[in-house]
Amino acid sequence: MNSMDRHIQQTNDRLQCIKQHLQNPANFHNAATELLDWCGDPRAFQRPFEQSLMGCLTVVSRVAAQQGFDLDLGYRLLAVCAANRDKFTPKSAGFFFHR
């Protein structure tokens, strides 16, 4: 495995961990903040990370409005990603139009 493959795997593993943390109100804020910071870098929207990122965004869209979570933080995260929807595949970009 070359260094780029290793980087992709490590990043996707981290996104899976964030996805798990997003589902728990006690961990949501830290996980969503980490993801928001990560999405501030245009490199976050590369194809190898898309499926993992969309998994996180799906969780955020499902739980952010629930008690104990942070709707504002969830909205900001979804808004940052929606602003970059041109970097997603058409299927994933459609996620932002069906909310």
Side-chain angles (χ1 to χ4, degrees):
M1 182 182 291
N2 67 35
S3 63
M4 182 51 99
D5 291 337
R6 198 167 23 261
H7 169 70
I8 290 168
Q9 183 62 50
Q10 289 172 340
T11 301
N12 279 316
D13 288 348
R14 183 63 193 151
L15 288 168
Q16 289 302 317
C17 184
I18 290 171
K19 179 181 173 185
Q20 293 301 314
H21 288 301
L22 289 168
Q23 298 175 53
N24 181 329
N27 299 322
F28 182 85
H29 182 81
N30 287 341
T33 299
E34 180 181 347
L35 191 57
L36 184 61
D37 289 346
W38 186 72
C39 288
D41 185 331
R43 294 174 295 178
F45 302 101
Q46 295 180 47
R47 192 69 41 90
F49 311 129
E50 184 172 311
Q51 184 176 356
S52 297
L53 176 56
M54 292 307 296
C56 291
L57 297 177
T58 299
V59 171
V60 169
S61 70
R62 194 179 71 235
V63 303
Q66 295 178 16
Q67 186 170 347
F69 291 88
D70 186 335
L71 180 59
D72 181 60
L73 183 54
Y75 176 79
R76 286 189 301 159
L77 180 57
L78 292 171
V80 164
C81 292
N84 287 282
R85 67 183 170 268
D86 61 313
K87 297 178 179 92
F88 289 97
T89 60
K91 180 181 178 195
S92 292
F95 171 88
F96 300 102
F97 297 108
H98 300 296
R99 294 281 140 232

